[in-house]
Amino acid sequence: MTEVFATERLVLRELEDADANFIHQLYTGSDFRRAIGDRGISSLADAADYLKKVLQNSYREHGFGLWLMEFEGQGVGVCGLVKRDYLPVPDLGFALVPEAYGQGFAREAAAACLSYARAELGLPELLAIASMDNEASHKLLQAVGFKPNGMIIEPRSKESLCCFRWTARWTEEGLNAN
């Protein structure tokens, strides 16, 4: 297990081959598909393939990716940084299993990811994208310091998405969120 960082309640770690069942459960859920989109996962084999080719490859290629959020040893979602071909900088992404909704896990993980992006990766700017009707994600993003930044068209689905921007700034104390 490669732990990336921990918060008060969560451990965020790299996804491993053994997490294919969790990825299958999360990515095939109706809420995930409605709010985030269909990633072509319909079987456990699809989940294992996506895990290797997309999620784990991001760690090697970019030094970051989506990390498993564990609460008391159980996966409750993913949160992390994604480098998409159609965005100029990495974006913050997150998703929870329905049983974990309303417990503050996404906000806690998102805030920690911003601190990690700033302090460990030295990233001065991040984006985040969300479906136009995903008000919960809009609120969460703004609560952790993102500001609305117009709309973007997702190239594959042609869906209009709300775009949010977070910037870090240097102060005498170091790098801080703006």
Side-chain angles (χ1 to χ4, degrees):
M1 176 180 87
T2 305
E3 181 178 318
V4 179
F5 55 86
T7 68
E8 185 177 319
R9 301 181 298 162
L10 301 170
V11 170
L12 277 84
R13 67 167 175 82
E14 290 185 358
L15 288 151
E16 302 169 342
D17 293 349
D19 296 317
N21 280 325
F22 180 79
I23 292 301
H24 180 260
Q25 174 194 359
L26 179 65
Y27 281 58
T28 59
S30 60
D31 285 357
F32 185 97
R33 289 189 180 203
R34 179 187 49 75
I36 297 172
D38 186 346
R39 298 296 186 254
I41 296 172
S42 58
S43 68
L44 184 56
D46 293 337
D49 191 53
Y50 187 86
L51 178 61
K52 282 185 181 297
K53 291 181 178 173
V54 177
L55 300 172
Q56 291 174 337
N57 187 55
S58 182
Y59 308 142
R60 291 185 295 276
E61 190 173 330
H62 305 295
F64 55 77
L66 288 174
W67 300 301
L68 181 71
M69 290 188 284
E70 286 184 326
F71 174 68
E72 297 179 349
Q74 296 296 310
V76 295
V78 292
C79 186
L81 306 173
V82 179
K83 181 61 187 110
R84 299 180 201 275
D85 294 342
Y86 60 92
L87 294 177
V89 298
D91 74 286
L92 177 73
F94 52 88
L96 296 171
V97 293
E99 303 81 39
Y101 292 174
Q103 298 179 51
F105 294 136
R107 183 176 179 164
E108 186 174 325
C113 282
L114 293 178
S115 293
Y116 182 82
R118 180 176 60 234
E120 301 300 322
L121 301 175
L123 295 174
E125 177 181 28
L126 294 173
L127 295 175
I129 52 176
S131 298
M132 291 174 60
D133 63 349
N134 191 343
E135 288 296 322
S137 289
H138 299 185
K139 283 182 175 180
L140 185 149
L141 291 167
Q142 292 179 75
V144 297
F146 281 82
K147 294 181 177 27
N149 193 49
M151 302 295 290
I152 189 164
I153 304 294
E154 202 282 333
R156 287 182 304 263
S157 69
K158 307 298 184 210
E159 179 183 6
S160 292
L161 301 171
C162 295
C163 186
F164 296 83
R165 182 174 180 249
W166 171 88
T167 57
R169 59 183 173 82
W170 285 101
T171 67
E172 289 183 21
E173 295 81 40
L175 193 59
N176 292 308
N178 193 10

